[in-house]
Amino acid sequence: MGNVNTYLNDFDDFDELYNPARTDRQARRKRKPRANPRERKAGRQAAAEVADLAALEGGFETTYRPSRYEEGWLLQSLRPFYAMALITDVLAVVKGGKEASVYRCATQPDSGLGEVAAKVYRPRMFRNLRKDHVYRQGREVLTPEGRPVGLKGDRIVHAIEKKSAFGQKAAHTSWLMYEYTTLQTLHAAGAAVPQPVASNENAILMGYVGDGRMPAPTLHEVTLEPEEVAPLFDEVLRNIDLMLQHGIIHGDLSAFNILYWAGEITLIDFPQVVNPRHNEQAYTILGRDITRICEYFAGYGLRRDPAALLERLWRRYGGQTPQERQLDAARFLPGPDDDDIDED
Ligand SMILES: Nc1ncnc2c1ncn2[C@@H]1O[C@H](COP(=O)(O)OP(=O)(O)O)[C@@H](O)[C@H]1O
Ligand SMILES: [Mg+2]
């Protein structure tokens, strides 16, 4: 295995190559001077080899034409869904994000699912692990079936701490399974989230928001009508409250992770969720979520006090004493120590 810097360089390269939604201009702007061109070339070669391998397997023809660098990972990640007849085609790329790319897929006409969104997570070695440990703190590792692996001492936890290839794979899957199991919990609870359809080690399938012409924009991308502002704020708050009732803090809530379609909102992007009682920074993380939402709606002149909202919600659902927090910190395993790759 290469050293950590190699991974980060690879990631930068892959970001330019793989991200289907990144324009050439964005890619150029993002490109940073790099110390070792040989490492970059190795990264490109690795990506190309993955692409070739998966293309060879064949059998899964898609309407959407992925780029050479995207193709291998995309087909490899979605083929299990295709094999299970959960999807029949990949129709278009919705968006290439930092951690994942999302595609619009067709399902069997008699499935009743309509079109679904496939969120394909970046190959783990290309993911930017920078802040993972903050969210992982106080979280158990989840298996591909979405079950906790058990507390410290477990072979998987050990592998993650050692950062072996197996451990990295387990951490990658756990991250994704947090998103999937959160969708399951919240969807069943009546939250405004996409319907979870299926998951595997690299991708999740969920309800698609939008239509054949365009995917739902994010709140950040739309202009609300004045009469929509207060009701939509209340709807976001209802969801924050509902999440807390189920021991969930989004952790990256903002106008970028809320879709808007036909007057309704849908919250997305849950891999980093934290538990208010198990994560030592839960209070801060919840406060940031609430502040970002208040700031967005303040842009429409809606005045809400984030500090007061935070206090109210925390008293109701979080509210650990320092002793309780210490107890929890001892009981729950700390996240794997990512210090060597966390530093900027
Ligand atoms: N279920 C969905 N339906 C329609 N578009 C979606 C859906 N899920 C995600 N997207 C689109 O894909 C983008 C990236 O998804 P997201 O879950 O936020 O991942 P990331 O970690 O890359 O931000 C979103 O901003 C949104 O535009
Ligand atoms: Mg997002």
Coordinates of all heavy atoms in Angstrom, one line a residue, residues 94-102 117 119 179 194 206-210 215-216 218 221 256-257 259 268-271, ligand 1:
V94 N -27.1 12.3 -12.3 CA -27.9 13.4 -11.6 C -26.9 14.5 -11.1 O -26.9 15.7 -11.4 CB -28.7 12.9 -10.4 CG1 -29.3 14.1 -9.7 CG2 -29.8 12.0 -10.9
K95 N -25.9 14.0 -10.4 CA -24.9 14.9 -9.9 C -23.6 14.1 -9.4 O -23.8 13.1 -8.9 CB -25.4 15.8 -8.8 CG -24.8 17.2 -8.7 CD -25.4 18.0 -7.6 CE -26.5 18.9 -8.1 NZ -27.1 19.8 -7.1
G96 N -22.5 14.7 -9.7 CA -21.3 14.1 -9.2 C -20.9 14.9 -7.9 O -20.6 16.1 -8.0
G97 N -21.0 14.3 -6.8 CA -20.6 15.0 -5.6 C -19.2 14.7 -5.1 O -18.5 14.0 -5.8
K98 N -18.9 15.2 -3.9 CA -17.6 15.0 -3.4 C -17.4 13.5 -2.9 O -16.3 13.0 -3.1 CB -17.3 15.9 -2.2 CG -16.6 17.2 -2.6 CD -16.5 18.1 -1.4 CE -15.5 17.6 -0.4 NZ -15.0 18.6 0.5
E99 N -18.4 13.0 -2.3 CA -18.3 11.7 -1.7 C -18.9 10.6 -2.6 O -18.6 9.4 -2.4 CB -19.0 11.6 -0.3 CG -18.5 12.6 0.6 CD -17.1 12.4 1.1 OE1 -16.6 11.3 0.8 OE2 -16.6 13.3 1.8
A100 N -19.8 11.0 -3.5 CA -20.5 10.1 -4.3 C -21.1 10.7 -5.5 O -21.1 12.0 -5.6 CB -21.7 9.6 -3.4
S101 N -21.4 9.9 -6.5 CA -22.2 10.4 -7.6 C -23.5 9.8 -7.6 O -23.7 8.6 -7.2 CB -21.4 10.1 -8.9 OG -20.2 10.8 -9.0
V102 N -24.5 10.5 -8.1 CA -25.9 10.0 -8.1 C -26.4 9.9 -9.5 O -26.2 10.8 -10.4 CB -26.8 11.0 -7.3 CG1 -28.3 10.6 -7.3 CG2 -26.3 11.0 -5.8
A117 N -33.0 6.7 -7.7 CA -31.7 7.3 -7.6 C -30.7 6.3 -7.1 O -31.0 5.7 -6.0 CB -31.7 8.6 -6.8
K119 N -27.1 6.2 -5.5 CA -25.9 6.9 -5.0 C -24.8 6.0 -4.9 O -24.7 5.1 -4.1 CB -26.3 7.5 -3.6 CG -25.2 8.4 -3.0 CD -25.6 9.1 -1.8 CE -24.5 9.9 -1.1 NZ -25.0 10.6 0.0
E179 N -26.0 5.7 6.1 CA -26.9 6.4 5.3 C -28.2 5.6 5.0 O -29.3 6.1 5.2 CB -26.3 6.8 4.0 CG -27.3 7.4 3.0 CD -26.8 8.6 2.2 OE1 -25.7 8.5 1.5 OE2 -27.5 9.6 2.2
P194 N -36.0 10.4 1.0 CA -36.3 9.4 -0.1 C -36.6 8.0 0.4 O -36.0 7.6 1.5 CB -35.0 9.4 -0.9 CG -34.3 10.6 -0.6 CD -34.7 10.9 0.8
M206 N -32.5 4.5 -3.9 CA -33.6 5.2 -3.1 C -34.5 5.9 -4.1 O -34.2 6.0 -5.3 CB -33.0 6.2 -2.2 CG -32.2 7.3 -2.9 SD -31.4 8.5 -1.8 CE -29.9 8.8 -2.6
G207 N -35.6 6.3 -3.6 CA -36.6 7.1 -4.4 C -35.9 8.3 -5.1 O -35.1 8.9 -4.5
Y208 N -36.3 8.5 -6.4 CA -35.7 9.6 -7.1 C -36.6 10.8 -7.0 O -37.9 10.7 -7.2 CB -35.5 9.2 -8.6 CG -35.2 10.3 -9.5 CD1 -34.0 10.9 -9.6 CD2 -36.2 10.8 -10.4 CE1 -33.7 11.9 -10.5 CE2 -36.0 11.8 -11.3 CZ -34.7 12.4 -11.3 OH -34.4 13.4 -12.2
V209 N -36.1 12.0 -6.7 CA -36.9 13.2 -6.6 C -36.7 14.0 -7.9 O -35.5 14.4 -8.1 CB -36.6 14.0 -5.3 CG1 -37.6 15.1 -5.2 CG2 -36.6 13.1 -4.1
G210 N -37.7 14.3 -8.6 CA -37.5 15.0 -9.9 C -38.3 14.3 -11.0 O -39.2 13.5 -10.7
P215 N -33.6 16.6 -12.4 CA -33.7 16.2 -11.0 C -34.2 17.4 -10.1 O -34.0 18.5 -10.6 CB -32.3 15.8 -10.7 CG -31.4 16.5 -11.6 CD -32.3 16.8 -12.8
A216 N -34.7 17.1 -9.0 CA -35.1 18.2 -8.0 C -33.8 19.0 -7.7 O -32.8 18.5 -7.4 CB -35.6 17.6 -6.8
T218 N -31.7 21.7 -5.3 CA -31.6 21.8 -3.9 C -32.2 23.2 -3.5 O -32.4 24.1 -4.3 CB -30.1 21.8 -3.4 OG1 -29.4 22.9 -4.0 CG2 -29.4 20.5 -3.8
E221 N -30.5 26.1 -4.7 CA -30.6 26.5 -6.1 C -31.9 27.2 -6.5 O -32.1 27.6 -7.6 CB -30.4 25.3 -7.0 CG -29.0 24.7 -6.8 CD -28.9 23.3 -7.4 OE1 -29.8 22.4 -7.1 OE2 -28.0 23.0 -8.2
F256 N -27.9 22.8 0.9 CA -27.3 22.0 -0.2 C -27.8 20.5 -0.1 O -27.7 19.8 -1.0 CB -25.8 22.0 -0.1 CG -25.2 23.3 -0.4 CD1 -24.9 24.2 0.6 CD2 -24.9 23.6 -1.7 CE1 -24.3 25.5 0.3 CE2 -24.3 24.8 -2.0 CZ -24.1 25.8 -1.0
N257 N -28.3 20.1 1.1 CA -28.7 18.8 1.3 C -30.2 18.6 1.5 O -30.7 17.7 2.1 CB -27.9 18.1 2.4 CG -26.6 17.7 2.0 OD1 -26.4 17.3 0.8 ND2 -25.6 17.7 2.9
L259 N -33.6 18.8 -1.0 CA -34.1 19.0 -2.3 C -35.5 19.7 -2.2 O -36.2 19.6 -1.3 CB -34.3 17.6 -3.0 CG -33.1 16.7 -3.0 CD1 -33.4 15.4 -3.7 CD2 -32.0 17.4 -3.8
I268 N -31.7 14.9 2.3 CA -30.8 13.8 1.8 C -29.5 13.8 2.5 O -29.2 14.7 3.2 CB -30.6 13.9 0.2 CG1 -30.1 15.3 -0.1 CG2 -32.0 13.7 -0.5 CD1 -29.5 15.4 -1.5
D269 N -28.6 12.8 2.1 CA -27.2 12.8 2.4 C -26.9 12.6 3.9 O -26.5 13.5 4.6 CB -26.6 14.2 2.0 CG -25.1 14.1 1.7 OD1 -24.6 13.0 1.8 OD2 -24.5 15.1 1.3
F270 N -27.1 11.3 4.3 CA -27.0 11.0 5.7 C -25.8 10.2 6.2 O -25.9 9.7 7.4 CB -28.3 10.2 6.1 CG -29.6 11.0 6.0 CD1 -30.3 11.0 4.9 CD2 -30.0 11.8 7.1 CE1 -31.5 11.8 4.8 CE2 -31.1 12.5 7.1 CZ -31.9 12.6 5.9
P271 N -24.8 9.9 5.5 CA -23.7 9.0 6.0 C -23.1 9.4 7.3 O -22.6 8.6 8.0 CB -22.7 8.9 4.8 CG -22.9 10.2 4.1 CD -24.4 10.5 4.2
Ligands
LIG1 N1 -33.0 10.8 -4.2 C1 -32.5 11.8 -5.0 N2 -33.2 12.3 -6.0 C2 -32.8 13.2 -6.8 N3 -31.5 13.8 -6.7 C3 -30.7 13.3 -5.7 C4 -31.2 12.3 -4.8 N4 -30.2 12.1 -3.9 C5 -29.2 12.9 -4.2 N5 -29.5 13.7 -5.3 C6 -28.6 14.7 -6.0 O1 -27.3 14.2 -5.9 C7 -26.5 15.2 -5.2 C8 -25.5 14.5 -4.3 O2 -26.1 13.7 -3.3 P1 -25.7 13.7 -1.8 O3 -26.5 12.6 -1.1 O4 -25.9 15.1 -1.3 O5 -24.2 13.3 -1.8 P2 -22.8 14.1 -1.6 O6 -22.2 13.5 -0.4 O7 -22.1 13.9 -2.8 O8 -23.2 15.6 -1.3 C9 -27.5 16.0 -4.4 O9 -27.1 17.3 -4.2 C10 -28.7 16.0 -5.3 O10 -28.6 17.0 -6.3

